[in-house]
């Protein structure tokens, strides 16, 4: 299982790059997505989600869903796709 502190830092770093630098960091996003995929597979068998994961995911989805008018068209599209991909992962938790 992934270190939850490291995951939280990764999400914050990703969001800071999006918000402050107006850059979609593909490498960091792919790391976050792969961790989330692993976590949703593991957490799908449990009845609870650790608070750190839940809060990090709320921050991530909230920002991605809101988008940013300062991003390039290409990065805006990446943000929209990322939001959809992550939401699809969360849907699998209910299956």
């Amino acid at each position: 299982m992934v270190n939850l502190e490291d995951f939280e830092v990764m999400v914050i770093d990703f969001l800071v790059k999006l918000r402050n630098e107006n850059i979609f960091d593909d490498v960091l996003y792919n790391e976050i997505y792969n961790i989330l995929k692993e976590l949703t597979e593991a957490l799908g068998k449990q009845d609870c989600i650790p608070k750190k994961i839940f809060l990090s995911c709320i921050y991530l989805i909230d920002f991605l869903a809101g988008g940013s008018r300062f991003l390039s068209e290409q990065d805006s599209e990446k943000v929209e796709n990322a939001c959809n991909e992550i939401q699809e992962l969360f849907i699998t938790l209910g299956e």
Side-chain angles (χ1 to χ4, degrees):
M1 191 94 153
V2 68
N3 180 318
L4 298 183
E5 303 287 328
D6 292 343
F7 177 71
E8 183 178 36
V9 168
M10 288 173 68
V11 169
I12 291 169
D13 288 347
F14 177 73
L15 295 178
V16 166
K17 285 185 179 186
L18 270 175
R19 182 168 299 191
N20 294 347
E21 300 172 24
N22 298 312
I23 296 170
F24 187 96
D25 185 333
D26 292 291
V27 172
L28 190 52
Y29 169 73
N30 288 331
E31 288 181 50
I32 291 168
Y33 179 81
N34 289 331
I35 290 170
L36 280 175
K37 188 173 181 180
E38 179 184 322
L39 287 171
T40 55
E41 290 170 2
L43 294 172
K45 300 170 187 159
Q46 300 177 11
D47 289 332
C48 64
I49 298 173
K51 191 184 321 182
K52 284 199 180 287
I53 294 172
F54 178 76
L55 291 174
S56 293
C57 291
I58 292 293
Y59 298 143
L60 184 60
I61 289 293
D62 182 50
F63 187 83
L64 292 173
S68 171
R69 66 175 194 231
F70 301 110
L71 294 172
S72 68
E73 186 176 327
Q74 182 181 13
D75 282 349
S76 291
E77 189 173 316
K78 288 179 185 178
V79 166
E80 185 177 337
N81 291 338
C83 186
N84 291 334
E85 288 174 341
I86 292 171
Q87 287 176 334
E88 287 174 13
L89 281 178
F90 294 148
I91 289 170
T92 64
L93 286 173
E95 296 175 349

